Amino acid sequence: MDAVLPSPKLVKRQRGEKHHKALPYRQIPQFMANLREQEGIAALALEFLILNANRTSEVLLAKWSEVEGDLWIIPGDRMKAKKEHRVPLCCRSLEILSVAKSFSLANSYIFSSRDKPLSNMSMTAVLKRMNVDATVHGFRSVFRDWVAEETEHSPEVAEMALAHTIPSKTEAAYRRGDLLDRRRRLMNDWQAYCKSEPSKCVIQIKAA
């Protein structure tokens, strides 16, 4: 039955579960353009997080020793699923790392202040400064919505990019790889969308 029916976690809201406020994905190009105008290491960390669809802690605790060329390898003890996660870095992510070097020379953490990771509220503070009513974690939902609505990439690739645990034990037993090449194409497409020309035709209608 486990192979046929969905996990109860997927059909029943968990106690304490809440939705994270997120922007509509069509607003992302304009938001990212505005974000690139912000100064400081926290703004760079937020852009990096969005481009790679990461969780907050994964970015805040990222270390230079985890980066190998255009691949960021997050150890399992820092992942929610306790499994190593390889992140293919797009060109803009590599540019961010280059700029971050000037902020964190001789520091072990990529996004740091005095060799300590940024606080949990640092990226939230950037959103508040920009007057954006959204949460940092909500950008993972934005990414997932964009994949589903605007691309032909498979749900499996998107879920792997988000480092989600496979709910079916049967499926998890047969899935050995991490779809790295397919995820690289997906993240390059996401980067292109994030850097695309903001739409001039979207009119925001606010409730009275």
Side-chain angles (χ1 to χ4, degrees):
M1 295 298 291
D2 180 62
V4 177
L5 298 177
S7 166
K9 294 182 180 180
L10 299 182
V11 297
K12 180 180 178 181
R13 173 170 287 191
Q14 300 300 298
R15 182 177 301 174
E17 179 183 346
K18 63 180 182 179
H19 293 285
H20 297 273
K21 287 187 178 181
L23 293 175
Y25 72 84
R26 290 187 177 87
Q27 294 182 19
I28 285 297
Q30 183 62 65
F31 169 80
M32 294 295 275
N34 295 340
L35 178 59
R36 288 191 292 271
E37 296 178 355
Q38 302 298 310
E39 297 182 353
I41 189 69
L44 287 174
L46 179 57
E47 185 182 358
F48 188 84
L49 175 145
I50 295 170
L51 287 171
N52 296 292
N54 291 122
R55 297 180 177 90
T56 300
S57 62
E58 295 165 7
V59 170
L60 292 180
L61 299 178
K63 294 184 176 181
W64 291 109
S65 59
E66 298 169 359
V67 178
E68 299 179 5
D70 63 352
L71 204 61
W72 171 30
I73 305 174
I74 310 175
D77 60 3
R78 291 207 296 102
M79 296 298 300
K80 186 175 182 180
K82 303 303 178 184
K83 180 181 178 181
E84 180 184 278
H85 182 53
R86 297 194 298 169
V87 181
L89 299 174
C90 62
C91 292
R92 176 55 187 168
S93 289
L94 294 174
E95 290 175 1
I96 291 173
L97 293 182
S98 180
V99 176
K101 271 288 188 183
S102 64
F103 286 90
S104 55
L105 288 174
N107 289 346
S108 56
Y109 294 101
I110 295 175
F111 303 103
S112 66
S113 175
R114 299 177 182 177
D115 203 24
K116 294 181 179 180
L118 297 175
S119 73
N120 286 334
M121 297 302 295
S122 59
M123 289 185 280
T124 299
V126 175
L127 293 176
K128 288 183 177 180
R129 188 167 70 237
M130 297 173 66
N131 196 29
V132 174
D133 185 22
T135 64
V136 174
H137 193 83
F139 286 101
R140 285 167 57 84
S141 296
V142 176
F143 167 76
R144 190 64 183 85
D145 289 345
W146 169 80
V147 175
E149 297 288 343
E150 298 290 339
T151 81
E152 297 298 325
H153 293 283
S154 72
E156 291 78 12
V157 175
E159 292 299 296
M160 190 71 75
L162 290 165
H164 279 164
T165 302
I166 301 173
S168 168
K169 293 180 180 179
T170 302
E171 182 182 355
Y174 283 95
R175 185 179 294 175
R176 302 298 183 183
D178 63 359
L179 309 177
L180 182 63
D181 289 339
R182 294 173 65 185
R183 286 193 292 119
R184 189 184 299 279
R185 292 193 293 271
L186 169 60
M187 303 319 288
N188 283 335
D189 287 348
W190 174 235
Q191 171 197 235
Y193 180 74
C194 288
K195 296 181 68 176
S196 62
E197 185 71 21
S199 174
K200 304 297 183 182
C201 301
V202 176
I203 300 175
Q204 297 299 320
I205 301 176
K206 296 183 179 180

